[in-house]
Amino acid sequence: MTVPAAAVHRRRRFPLVWIVPIVTALIGGWLAWDTLSKRGPTITISFEAGQGLQAGQSQLKYKDVVMGTVKTITVAPDLSKVLVTVETVREAEKLLSDKTIFWIVKPGLFAGNITGLDTLLSGTYIGMRPSTEKGKEQSSFVGQENPPILESDVPGKTFKLQSKRIGSISLGSPIFYRDIEVGTVLGWDLGDMARHVTIHAFIRAPFDKYVHDDSLFWDASGISVKLDGNGIRVQLESVKALLLGGIAFDTDPDRKSVSSAPDQVFPLYPNRAAANSAGYGRKLYMVSRFQGSVAGLAVGADVTLHGLKIGEVTELGLVFDSKINRIVVPVHYQVEADRVGGVAGGRDIPPGTVAADMVRRGFRATLDTSSLLTGTKVVALQYIADAPPAELERDGDIFIVPSSETGGLDTITRSAAELLGKINSIDFAGIGKSLSGSAKGLDDIVNGPQLKKTLASLEATMADAQDLMRRLDTAGAPAIARLPEISKSLDDSLVQINRLAASLNTGYGDNSRFSREIDRLLPQLNDTARSFRALADLLSRHPEALIQGRTNKGKE
């Protein structure tokens, strides 16, 4: 059978004209089917505020995986909330139930994710946490204003940290042990905000075994700057802790204790110094009342003993003391008693017993300036010599320690001020006038005619004395020239005298013959003298005996 030529021509033109639209339609249909097959349900989430969400840009994420995109953001009809419409993907359908939790996350501050610039520039997004329990399907949800407590899939333990304030700690903040990142913050419990915030801290294995019941946790966020006598000290745990906030803990290896069980509760201290202070255990609460100025003393200031910190100031105030009729400053502070080793000789001794004995011996609280540059003051506990007698009082659990205005740099300052006051009271003007008068009188004496006349007389006297000395020198020159000859003659005379004395001693000395004869002659001379005395007595009584002789023999 023969086909007409016109029919053959029409069959060849039809496919060539419609082939491009048909292929385009097929591609568009496939793309539409693919898009619809991947699209999940559209949900609505209500929040108190949008907090940076943007329609068409902000995303819904679960474990950093995109689960949807925000399509619209509107205000609820009652103007109480913000309604966010999110178009999810099909993988998110099985995660959506009445137990799913949604919250708004700011860029780069979630779960410690600051590894790339794209994260910091990704913008605010919505986080979600599905429940492991099966729930009912729904499309409308109420978002939370605070992140929920996360759950970790790695081995480890979760502990609870109690603090009065959360500070800069956020979800995902790192936890450090001896500068090593060993965990993360999973969230916090807002159920007991009237007293404290409970932070859920996860420590991964094997570092969780280093957490014991006596471990100390503290806030390691930000930079710690301290100015003291050793200069400026800057302490930074890590850059990550600076940006996200962080927590650090430590355990004393010398204390024998076992690892803590999960959900063990620990206090979270504001800084490392507070944690170390709490590690000393027993505390004594004290108060001292100061009558003078306490400028430079602040809460948190050190309490020192012999220059070493043993506590810190907890409270300052002003009260009227009716006993002395003055306004005083009560300074409350706490002292870690265990910082002073062996002070009580054992824990069985009541703490007040030792303190009372110390107060009786002159133990007082004083104010001392720790830095001349900043004027910062500390409470210094020290023994004051000749302190007035005092007793340790007690107000409940608080010990009242007597204060003293003596001691420390302030005493030197007051003494210097008193000295300056005494110096200022000296009549320097009167002294100056007296000195001026004395100087004028001295000038009159020095420049007066009497002194000039005296000096002239003295000059003439000195001239006469010099003339006399010249004359003596002229007249005495011959005598001085003969001094050697005279000296030799004197030496010869002394030699001759010595020889004469020796000769006399030989001829008439104690052992000479002449001396012995003299010794025998002297008794005979004594007998002769007695005979002459008897004859004289006889002649004085009988002078006639000289002519007649003695007639009365035997009679006087």
Side-chain angles (χ1 to χ4, degrees):
M1 181 177 179
T2 303
V3 179
V8 173
H9 180 71
R10 284 194 298 269
R11 288 178 184 174
R12 291 177 179 177
R13 274 190 317 185
F14 178 78
L16 295 177
V17 175
W18 292 100
I19 191 169
V20 173
I22 292 173
V23 172
T24 303
L26 290 175
I27 293 174
W30 181 84
L31 291 175
W33 177 84
D34 184 70
T35 302
L36 292 175
S37 64
K38 292 182 178 180
R39 180 180 297 178
T42 301
I43 60 175
T44 302
I45 308 173
S46 62
F47 294 101
E48 294 293 333
Q51 299 184 9
L53 295 176
Q54 296 183 5
Q57 295 184 8
S58 299
Q59 297 175 331
L60 173 67
K61 294 183 179 181
Y62 173 64
K63 292 187 176 182
D64 291 336
V65 178
V66 177
M67 292 294 174
T69 304
V70 175
K71 290 301 180 181
T72 62
I73 302 175
T74 59
V75 180
D78 58 356
L79 306 180
S80 61
K81 295 181 179 297
V82 173
L83 301 179
V84 180
T85 302
V86 180
E87 190 175 277
T88 65
V89 298
R90 183 168 296 278
E91 287 80 1
E93 183 176 2
K94 59 183 178 180
L95 305 178
L96 300 175
S97 68
D98 58 346
K99 298 182 182 299
T100 304
I101 300 174
F102 298 89
W103 70 96
I104 297 177
V105 182
K106 293 184 179 181
L109 296 178
F110 176 71
N113 239 337
I114 57 172
T115 55
L117 185 61
D118 56 341
T119 306
L120 295 174
L121 301 177
S122 61
T124 303
Y125 62 91
I126 300 175
M128 64 179 297
R129 192 191 74 178
S131 175
T132 55
E133 300 178 1
K134 186 176 181 181
K136 298 179 181 180
E137 296 183 0
Q138 65 179 35
S139 59
S140 296
F141 301 90
V142 178
Q144 295 185 358
E145 300 305 316
N146 297 296
I149 300 174
L150 302 181
E151 296 177 354
S152 179
D153 298 332
V154 299
K157 297 178 183 178
T158 301
F159 304 98
K160 296 180 179 180
L161 312 179
Q162 293 184 348
S163 174
K164 292 183 178 180
R165 54 189 300 272
I166 195 171
S168 59
I169 298 174
S170 61
L171 190 67
S173 293
I175 300 176
F176 299 93
Y177 175 67
R178 299 185 180 181
D179 297 333
I180 302 175
E181 185 176 348
V182 298
T184 185
V185 174
L186 301 179
W188 47 84
D189 186 2
L190 306 178
D192 196 10
M193 282 294 293
R195 298 180 59 184
H196 55 258
V197 179
T198 301
I199 300 173
H200 294 254
F202 174 76
I203 309 296
R204 67 178 183 270
F207 301 102
D208 55 347
K209 66 182 181 180
Y210 298 117
V211 180
H212 297 179
D213 292 347
D214 56 356
S215 297
L216 301 174
F217 288 80
W218 65 87
D219 189 347
S221 305
I223 300 176
S224 175
V225 181
K226 186 175 182 181
L227 176 63
D228 55 16
N230 296 325
I232 299 177
R233 292 186 294 174
V234 180
Q235 183 177 359
L236 174 65
E237 200 75 32
S238 71
V239 177
K240 193 172 184 179
L242 176 64
L243 297 176
L244 293 176
I247 296 174
F249 76 94
D250 196 8
T251 302
D252 189 354
D254 296 332
R255 296 184 180 181
K256 304 299 181 181
S257 57
V258 298
S259 299
S260 299
D263 295 330
Q264 176 70 29
V265 178
F266 297 90
L268 180 64
Y269 298 98
N271 49 58
R272 184 166 193 162
N276 291 336
S277 298
Y280 286 98
R282 182 177 54 171
K283 292 183 174 62
L284 297 181
Y285 298 94
M286 300 181 176
V287 62
S288 298
R289 297 182 174 91
F290 294 92
Q291 300 182 16
S293 173
V294 295
L297 186 68
V299 175
D302 293 346
V303 178
T304 63
L305 178 64
H306 295 306
L308 299 178
K309 180 180 178 181
I310 62 170
E312 64 179 17
V313 176
T314 58
E315 184 182 351
L316 299 172
L318 288 172
V319 297
F320 178 77
D321 192 342
S322 58
K323 295 181 180 179
I324 60 176
N325 197 27
R326 290 186 60 180
I327 296 177
V328 297
V329 182
V331 178
H332 295 260
Y333 51 94
Q334 63 182 15
V335 173
E336 288 84 21
D338 292 343
R339 285 181 180 263
V340 184
V343 67
R347 292 183 178 269
D348 295 335
I349 299 178
T353 303
V354 179
D357 181 65
M358 296 171 68
V359 169
R360 281 192 293 268
R361 290 187 292 168
F363 193 71
R364 300 290 185 269
T366 63
L367 295 180
D368 196 5
T369 302
S370 61
S371 174
L372 294 176
L373 180 62
T374 62
T376 304
K377 290 185 178 180
V378 299
V379 176
L381 302 177
Q382 56 183 321
Y383 286 97
I384 303 298
D386 301 328
E391 293 291 336
L392 180 68
E393 299 179 1
R394 190 167 182 172
D395 183 8
D397 294 335
I398 301 177
F399 295 96
I400 303 176
V401 179
S403 62
S404 176
E405 300 296 330
T406 60
L409 185 60
D410 289 344
T411 302
I412 300 176
T413 305
R414 286 192 297 270
S415 301
E418 293 176 359
L419 178 60
L420 289 176
K422 293 179 180 179
I423 292 175
N424 291 331
S425 63
I426 298 176
D427 187 10
F428 289 103
I431 295 174
K433 291 179 180 179
S434 299
L435 291 175
S436 178
S438 300
K440 186 177 182 303
L442 182 61
D443 182 68
D444 293 341
I445 293 173
V446 172
N447 298 321
Q450 295 86 354
L451 181 60
K452 293 180 179 179
K453 187 181 294 185
T454 302
L455 292 175
S457 301
L458 181 61
E459 185 178 2
T461 303
M462 292 298 294
D464 293 341
Q466 290 177 357
D467 184 61
L468 177 61
M469 292 300 295
R470 284 194 297 271
R471 291 179 182 179
L472 290 175
D473 184 60
T474 301
I480 293 174
R482 294 185 58 194
L483 283 177
E485 183 181 353
I486 296 172
S487 177
K488 186 175 182 304
S489 299
L490 290 175
D491 290 339
D492 294 341
S493 300
L494 289 174
V495 172
Q496 294 176 2
I497 291 172
N498 289 332
R499 290 176 179 176
L500 179 60
S503 176
L504 291 174
N505 186 39
T506 303
Y508 304 98
D510 293 338
N511 296 324
S512 64
R513 179 179 179 184
F514 176 79
S515 177
R516 290 192 296 271
E517 292 294 335
I518 290 296
D519 291 339
R520 288 194 295 270
L521 178 61
L522 286 177
Q524 295 177 4
L525 289 176
N526 288 334
D527 295 339
T528 303
R530 282 195 296 270
S531 299
F532 276 107
R533 187 180 300 111
L535 178 61
D537 291 339
L538 178 62
L539 291 177
S540 62
R541 290 194 296 270
H542 305 283
E544 70 277 5
L546 185 60
I547 298 173
Q548 297 178 0
R550 187 175 179 180
T551 59
N552 54 347
K553 292 182 179 179
K555 297 180 184 180
E556 292 184 359

